Amino acid sequence: MPETRKCCVFGPIPSRRLGTSLGVDLVAPKTCSMDCIYCEAGATTDLSLERRTFVPFEKAVADLEAVLSKEPKLDFITYSGFGEPTLSAELGPVTAWIKRTHPEYRVCLLTNGLLLGDPEVRKAANLADLVIPSCDGSNDFEFKRINRPAAGISFDEYIDGLVEFSTTATTRVELEIFIVPGINDSDESISRFADIVRRMKPAAVQLNSLDRPGVERGIVPASAQCMRRFITAIEPVTPVQAVGNFRYFSRPSEPIEPDEETRRILDVISRRPATAADVAQMLGTTESDAEILLEKVLRSGEACCEKLPRGTFYSAIARS
């Protein structure tokens, strides 16, 4: 029987990757097809590959309509929360309802990708505007050590499902790789990840690392140097975004012509790293305005930033 839930919609919340996002959680906590060691939502209590109805369709759309009828400004409606969204049998019907009744909103599906080998899951996923599956293991050992999947799907089947979905998808696919230092960041691992990316042909790769405590103690964020090694290997294949403590965006295929303020910022951070407060003082503006300008510089692919104990420091990227 479907579970009784107070509300399956949460937010809107600011997202590091998706801007202003309205969350939709169609799965009971903490039901997932994996029990990832880094999961910030806690340990999986119901490890399962069974697709079923957790939140009835009628309740899901009623919860959504209560928010969307107020016409909030959103970048995405995002399937996420305390479980794996593709385990919900209502994923396709709810997405179809959103696109039919509120076509002005973009829908994103965050998924561990384990069920993308299922034709019904692929059909539901293709209704979204953006699908971000994850792949955290470059081989069977890393897959089992990091993701601890439910029994029933091998590593090779998992990768084949990712490849089949990504190469046939009618929607945008961006692959997420969560870096766990000491497990999946060796030179050999990075080379294998690059091969997986070549097979999948995603529109972009997102590199992520620990931001809040996960299930297992001892996991640490990936360093800027580690992130750069992944970027060097994957960027020749597809654009890369780093969304952890170290932030980076590949340069757009059509670079944006910098304006005067951007040139001044790049001139300063090409000489030495600077914080938003430093840039605000230089430009004679507020720190919040400086942060907006720095985000623009980041997304232009001309700079990167790193969160350090003394603050977030921005640096220009030297181009050959």
Side-chain angles (χ1 to χ4, degrees):
M1 291 289 293
E3 298 192 6
T4 301
R5 302 276 296 280
K6 288 185 178 180
C7 185
C8 68
V9 177
F10 57 96
I13 57 174
S15 166
R16 292 185 299 173
R17 296 180 286 177
L18 300 172
T20 302
S21 173
L22 181 70
V24 181
D25 191 355
L26 297 180
V27 179
K30 170 74 176 47
T31 303
C32 194
S33 50
M34 294 181 177
D35 183 20
C36 300
I37 62 175
Y38 61 78
C39 186
E40 297 168 353
T44 295
T45 55
D46 183 5
L47 186 63
S48 175
L49 294 176
E50 180 188 359
R51 300 192 72 219
R52 58 189 189 273
T53 295
F54 300 88
V55 179
F57 172 82
E58 293 77 10
K59 174 165 178 52
V61 299
D63 288 350
L64 276 161
E65 183 61 29
V67 178
L68 299 181
S69 62
K70 298 174 184 176
E71 301 182 352
K73 293 183 179 180
L74 304 172
D75 293 299
F76 280 99
I77 297 172
T78 305
Y79 291 109
S80 60
F82 288 100
E84 168 51 39
T86 60
L87 289 175
S88 171
E90 306 304 323
L91 176 65
V94 172
T95 306
W97 177 87
I98 295 171
K99 302 310 294 183
R100 182 175 66 254
T101 61
H102 295 279
E104 68 273 22
Y105 291 114
R106 292 183 295 170
V107 176
C108 175
L109 168 63
L110 301 179
T111 173
N112 62 31
L114 193 61
L115 293 180
L116 286 176
D118 182 333
E120 287 301 311
V121 173
R122 291 200 299 272
K123 182 179 178 181
N126 269 310
L127 296 175
D129 299 281
L130 172 63
V131 179
I132 306 179
S134 61
C135 178
D136 311 318
S138 70
N139 61 12
D140 183 67
F141 169 78
E142 294 170 5
F143 175 55
K144 290 177 179 176
R145 175 68 183 90
I146 296 172
N147 299 127
R148 301 187 296 196
I153 298 179
S154 70
F155 173 72
D156 288 340
E157 290 173 322
Y158 170 49
I159 297 300
D160 287 344
L162 289 174
V163 171
E164 183 170 4
F165 174 71
S166 184
T167 55
T168 62
T170 56
T171 189
R172 181 178 175 89
V173 180
E174 298 183 2
L175 178 67
E176 178 185 21
I177 299 173
F178 194 100
I179 303 172
V180 184
I183 300 180
N184 66 351
D185 64 338
S186 69
D187 290 343
E188 294 78 13
S189 297
I190 294 173
S191 178
R192 288 192 294 265
F193 276 122
D195 287 339
I196 291 170
V197 172
R198 287 188 187 92
R199 288 182 61 194
M200 286 183 63
K201 300 180 176 64
V205 166
Q206 297 181 2
L207 301 176
N208 207 345
S209 70
L210 195 71
D211 186 52
R212 294 181 292 273
V215 173
E216 286 196 3
R217 295 180 180 272
I219 300 174
V220 298
S223 66
Q225 181 182 15
C226 178
M227 288 281 196
R228 290 180 190 277
R229 289 168 53 231
F230 274 85
I231 291 167
T232 298
I234 295 173
E235 196 168 46
V237 183
T238 196
V240 178
Q241 305 169 16
V243 296
N245 285 343
F246 175 78
R247 293 188 65 208
Y248 171 93
F249 293 85
S250 289
R251 199 176 201 177
S253 55
E254 296 182 4
I256 301 170
E257 184 66 27
D259 54 28
E260 184 59 32
E261 286 181 324
T262 301
R263 290 192 185 92
R264 291 177 64 190
I265 291 172
L266 286 170
D267 183 57
V268 170
I269 63 177
S270 65
R271 300 171 191 275
R272 63 178 178 85
T275 65
D278 297 330
V279 172
Q281 185 177 20
M282 175 194 72
L283 295 179
T285 187
T286 64
E287 190 168 335
S288 60
D289 285 344
E291 288 174 349
I292 293 172
L293 290 169
L294 284 163
E295 182 67 22
K296 179 181 176 182
V297 174
L298 273 180
R299 292 184 177 276
S300 74
E302 298 292 345
C304 59
C305 71
E306 185 176 6
K307 189 186 298 181
L308 298 171
R310 292 192 296 112
T312 299
F313 286 82
Y314 296 79
S315 305
I317 295 172
R319 301 287 183 181
S320 56

